[in-house]
Amino acid sequence: MSTRATTAERAAGGTADYLDQRTGIGLAVKNFARKIFPDHWSFLLGEIALYSFVVLLISGVFLTMFFVPSMGLIEYEGPLASMDGVEMSEAFASTLHLSFEVTGGLLMRQIHHWAALLFMASIVTHMMRVFFTGAFRKPREINWLVGFVLMILGLGAGFTGYSLPDDVLSGNGLRITDGVVKSIPIIGSYMSYFIFGGEFPGEHIIPRLFTMHILLIPGLILALIGLHLFLVVVHKHTHFPGPGRTDRNVVGFPLFPVYVAKAGGFFFVVFGILALMGGTMTINPVWNYGPYDPSPVSAGAQPDWYMLFLEGSLRLMPGPGWEWVIGGYTLPMNVLIPAVVIPGLLFTMLALYPFVEAFATGDKREHHVLDRPRNAPVRTASGVAILTAFFILILAGSNDLIATHFDLSINDITRIFRVLVIALPILAFWVTKRICLGLQRKDRDLVLHGHESGRIVRLAHGEYLEVHTPLDEYERWTLVQHEPRRPLELEPAEDERGVRRKGYRRDAIRARVSRFFYEDRVEPVTPAELAAAHSHGEHDALEGGAGGQEQIEASQAHDTQPAAGGAVAGRSARGHDARDR
């Protein structure tokens, strides 16, 4: 036994030495293994997306071996009696063959479909975490765009895969796609002819979607995932605010062996959950719908959740009177606005937001410490408003189900959603901003006075006061470490010689945008305010006032290290304090 182990170790060592001498991989592996990653549950959201994609690749390879991407018509002969003798495409027949005749075929189909839903859900949730914590700020703007393109590619992968079985639901989805493409002015009809290879549905759309689904889109996703991870390593990981955490270090654990073990175990957790869902939860039972036929369209025909916002947008748009003829070209605004303009505006706002915020702040420094969402009220409110709009559109895409399940008028539901899709995001923005400002005021009060203890004491002269519990150094540091954000000041339009200053108009626009972002704000506690608060008699019962003042001074000094007590506590709590810069 020992001889075999020694032989195996020698073989592994020799192989590693051979590769290292010819590629220099040893140094790269050593540096990468020592890379520090912070420990927070929200960072697992990106890992879920990665592991879901791995499951998609594994299950997709299996499905590719049995699926026939052809629209050629045949008569079905198989174990499904309800479809016996029905004319259908080879794509639909091969889907039935996968589901009822291939061992494990139905399980793999359902694992693949659930993994696709989880992949999109984790991408969206991961982007929400990045957005609300400000992880997109310099130097990560490009990585934000990479993640945004990954989300768009995920939508494309889901749509192309969902359409492959050539059943009634997917066929209706393609019919809607054809209408959306044709609504584009001037080039719409040519694009539709190019996509479908002739008049809808043609005979080429399924093979073309198959090529995109298994080759083009996965290849692009793999390339962008590699680029995304590469940029994460290059920029180093962000971390949440706390003692010992600055823009010049990363507090956490090394990749090897801690995160290698965690990541490996977490992959099998994700895989196991998807396998359990695939084995116990039926999804997309195409045999209940039948092969594609343009005539049957019923209630309850919804796409997967990540495309439901587009369905809802189309359902909310009024139909009659919204088609205009200009220069001989028909502009079907009842399709163009909900399917192209509105989604385009929402996605464009999401993609460009990091650059808009950078323009408003004029801040060109690197940021590696994340924001608490309450400390960026306009950003948080904007994100909630966008999510609210998408949520209303998703509900509108199920207006028929809401009507049938709750015995309501579908026309009344549609009218209500038409009002809510405009009014509710505005209301959500205002309410969220007010909540964030209120939470900031609460933080100020906690820093100045501490937690209410509920204990009442009587002073010598007869006055009754409540004794407050002082904050510990961790909590105080978290509440005071952020820098104040103030609107940019606009310099005069003319210089001292009366000459109009170059770039004044751009500066005026930036000042207006900056006022929108930061005019309503709550300033963080200053050392002077804390000293004044602790100088009152009612605060004599509090302890640690001087230490708190030192922490505030350290946190508000630009690019300085935290107070010594906070840094030491941070290292002892997290185990590692690696300063990469």
Side-chain angles (χ1 to χ4, degrees), residues 184-332:
I184 300 175
I186 302 177
I187 63 173
S189 58
Y190 300 101
M191 289 181 62
S192 173
Y193 191 90
F194 172 77
I195 292 172
F196 291 94
E199 288 295 328
F200 177 87
E203 298 180 355
H204 306 292
I205 186 61
I206 296 298
R208 291 178 178 181
L209 291 178
F210 182 74
T211 302
M212 293 179 63
H213 185 69
I214 71 165
L215 183 62
L216 179 60
I217 296 179
L220 293 174
I221 291 177
L222 278 173
L224 289 179
I225 287 177
L227 177 60
H228 185 73
L229 296 177
F230 173 76
L231 292 176
V232 169
V233 173
V234 169
H235 296 149
K236 76 180 183 179
H237 213 295
T238 55
H239 51 183
F240 283 90
R245 305 177 186 184
T246 71
D247 286 330
R248 298 187 177 186
N249 69 349
V250 177
V251 179
F253 297 98
L255 177 68
F256 185 84
V258 178
Y259 270 95
V260 170
K262 285 187 175 183
F266 192 51
F267 167 75
F268 288 105
V269 170
V270 173
F271 186 88
I273 291 175
L274 288 174
L276 182 63
M277 295 174 67
T280 58
M281 301 180 185
T282 301
I283 188 170
N284 198 26
V286 295
W287 52 88
N288 288 340
Y289 313 141
Y292 176 63
D293 183 348
S295 56
V297 178
S298 62
Q302 276 80 23
D304 286 332
W305 73 267
Y306 49 82
M307 296 298 295
L308 198 54
F309 75 95
L310 184 61
E311 176 82 7
S313 182
L314 287 166
R315 294 189 184 193
L316 291 186
M317 188 69 186
W322 285 82
E323 289 189 359
W324 304 339
V325 179
I326 302 176
Y329 291 97
T330 300
L331 295 180

Side-chain angles (χ1 to χ4, degrees), residues 407-570:
D407 195 21
L408 300 173
S409 168
I410 191 171
N411 293 324
D412 292 341
I413 294 173
T414 302
R415 294 188 191 101
I416 292 173
F417 280 144
R418 285 173 181 170
V419 176
L420 291 181
V421 76
I422 298 175
L424 203 57
I426 298 175
L427 179 62
F429 179 91
W430 182 81
V431 171
T432 304
K433 184 179 177 182
R434 293 296 104 190
I435 292 175
C436 290
L437 292 173
L439 290 173
Q440 288 187 58
R441 294 188 183 96
K442 180 183 177 182
D443 290 345
R444 278 184 58 89
D445 185 71
L446 286 176
V447 173
L448 293 174
H449 306 292
H451 293 284
E452 296 181 357
S453 65
R455 186 165 64 92
I456 307 298
V457 298
R458 181 182 179 184
L459 302 182
H461 58 276
E463 181 182 2
Y464 288 91
L465 293 174
E466 179 184 8
V467 176
H468 288 70
T469 304
L471 276 63
D472 59 44
E473 59 184 5
Y474 292 96
E475 188 175 7
R476 185 186 293 115
W477 183 273
T478 302
L479 298 183
V480 303
Q481 52 78 36
H482 62 285
E483 297 178 353
R485 295 182 172 93
R486 303 183 180 94
L488 298 177
E489 295 184 2
L490 180 62
E491 297 181 2
E494 299 177 351
D495 58 19
E496 62 277 3
R497 296 174 295 177
V499 179
R500 186 173 180 82
R501 183 168 55 84
K502 184 178 180 181
Y504 172 77
R505 182 173 299 178
R506 181 175 182 273
D507 291 345
I509 295 175
R510 169 177 283 184
R512 285 196 293 268
V513 175
S514 183
R515 283 197 301 270
F516 169 75
F517 272 85
Y518 304 118
E519 189 169 24
D520 295 332
R521 65 189 185 277
V522 177
E523 296 281 347
V525 178
T526 63
E529 289 175 323
L530 185 65
H534 282 244
S535 66
H536 297 305
E538 63 267 29
H539 296 290
D540 289 342
L542 293 176
E543 298 178 357
Q549 182 174 346
E550 291 175 1
Q551 288 189 2
I552 293 177
E553 291 173 346
S555 67
Q556 293 184 343
H558 176 56
D559 284 343
T560 59
Q561 294 296 329
V568 173

Side-chain angles (χ1 to χ4, degrees), residues 337-355:
I337 291 178
V340 179
V341 176
I342 293 179
L345 288 176
L346 290 174
F347 281 122
T348 301
M349 290 168 55
L350 189 62
L352 298 182
Y353 183 87
F355 304 96

Side-chain angles (χ1 to χ4, degrees), residues 131 136-146 148 347-364 379 506 510 513-514 517-518:
F131 181 88
F136 54 75
R137 293 173 295 174
K138 183 181 179 180
R140 297 176 179 84
E141 302 96 333
I142 295 178
N143 217 7
W144 168 263
L145 292 179
V146 170
F148 175 79
F347 281 122
T348 301
M349 290 168 55
L350 189 62
L352 298 182
Y353 183 87
F355 304 96
V356 174
E357 184 172 305
F359 178 77
T361 60
D363 187 4
K364 298 181 180 181
R379 179 203 301 156
R506 181 175 182 273
R510 169 177 283 184
V513 175
S514 183
F517 272 85
Y518 304 118

